[in-house]
Amino acid sequence: NPPPWPPPRPPAEVEPCPHAPDCPSCTIDGGFDEVDTARRARAMFEPLLQKPFEVICGSAKDWRTQAKLACAPGATKLTARGRRGRKTYRLRDVALGLYRPRSHDVVAIPDCRTHHPLLNKAAGEIKEACAVVGIKALDSEGDGNLRYVQLSTDGNKVALTLVWNERSAKEAQPELPRLVKELSSSSLWHSIHVNYRGDKAGNAIFDYNPQKWAKLRGETYVIERLFDDDVGDLDAKLKLWFTPLTFRQANLRAFAGLVERLATWVPDDSHVCELYAGVGAIGLALRPKLSSLRCSETNENVLDCFEKSRRDQDARLEDLC
């Protein structure tokens, strides 16, 4: 039998969100252990377990370390200087946020309480830089430069992806280089990548064709430790490599807790096949206790990251087993 969870903490107490009810992200501001999903889980599992089904609530603030934010023209009118100061033109500021439910209207969410503070700081710096160099957000007619931004932090710096409304670096001139130059004056950024999404059909945020991606500054990979502490027979020193083209959990710390719990259900010397393995966070964490591990993934862009984690682990595996 696996060891019990730590005793549940009382439901988090938070102040009402200033972006509610328009923002679709947080549908409630309290009673997190009584949401519909939790009630359905209780109804299903308590008869099977024959004991109470507990819901473990973490902090309601600052937990999100990755966010994708839609861009749209904001409410503030600006006057920006044209190239080489030859002319001025009027535009609206860039709003960063989420789509209102059942619409394509963006709800700006500055200083979101679920975001890690560095994500909020990054969003503010992007908004200011766009205003300085005259970047236009995508409007309802499909015009503008910036469609989306993705922000990811390891707690020290922020990796930024700009989703651009052009299909090539040539088409993105001169606005994109000007924006990157303005952003680069800050020490906040781990890296800046661009996805030349353009007006390709569909609602997908990214175009995952590797030829539509470019690193504009900084490092190629974000390297993060999955676990902060000793985790028994798992790989406590496991490092994960990420790029903007790979999936990353928005709450990596909570995910690490789930992996640690999952391990209690996997017998030693098991043969494991992990489907949709991504960069290998689950399978490689379990690997020291397994007889064999096979991983499968549909996104071919993860292979390089997975191999880097595996080779780093290989160098330590004899000591782990």
Side-chain angles (χ1 to χ4, degrees), residues 21-24 70-72 97-108 139-140 148 203:
D22 294 328
C23 175
C71 303
L98 302 175
Y99 287 118
R100 194 186 310 271
R102 296 177 297 279
S103 81
H104 281 89
D105 298 330
V106 172
V107 178
D139 63 23
S140 59
Y148 256 91
N203 292 324

Side-chain angles (χ1 to χ4, degrees), residues 99-121:
Y99 287 118
R100 194 186 310 271
R102 296 177 297 279
S103 81
H104 281 89
D105 298 330
V106 172
V107 178
I109 53 170
D111 300 319
C112 174
R113 292 171 182 167
T114 69
H115 285 177
H116 189 284
L118 287 183
L119 297 192
N120 287 329
K121 178 177 173 60

Side-chain angles (χ1 to χ4, degrees), residues 202-241:
N203 292 324
I205 294 175
F206 296 135
D207 182 342
Y208 279 99
N209 179 351
Q211 295 181 350
K212 295 300 179 182
W213 292 76
K215 183 186 71 174
L216 304 180
R217 63 151 290 175
E219 303 294 328
T220 300
Y221 304 97
V222 175
I223 305 172
E224 296 192 66
R225 288 270 300 272
L226 180 60
F227 303 110
D228 292 328
D229 304 307
D230 180 66
V231 282
D233 54 0
L234 302 184
D235 184 358
K237 295 182 180 180
L238 178 64
K239 295 180 182 177
L240 301 174
W241 272 253

Side-chain angles (χ1 to χ4, degrees), residues 40 82 104 108 121 125 150-152 169 176 197 204 207 250 266 272:
R40 290 197 297 270
H104 281 89
K121 178 177 173 60
E125 291 196 9
Q150 177 175 270
L151 306 169
S152 178
L176 179 57
R197 168 68 171 76
D207 182 342
V266 179
V272 169

Side-chain angles (χ1 to χ4, degrees), residues 5-21:
W5 280 94
R9 290 171 289 187
E13 296 291 336
V14 295
E15 299 176 7
C17 175
H19 308 306

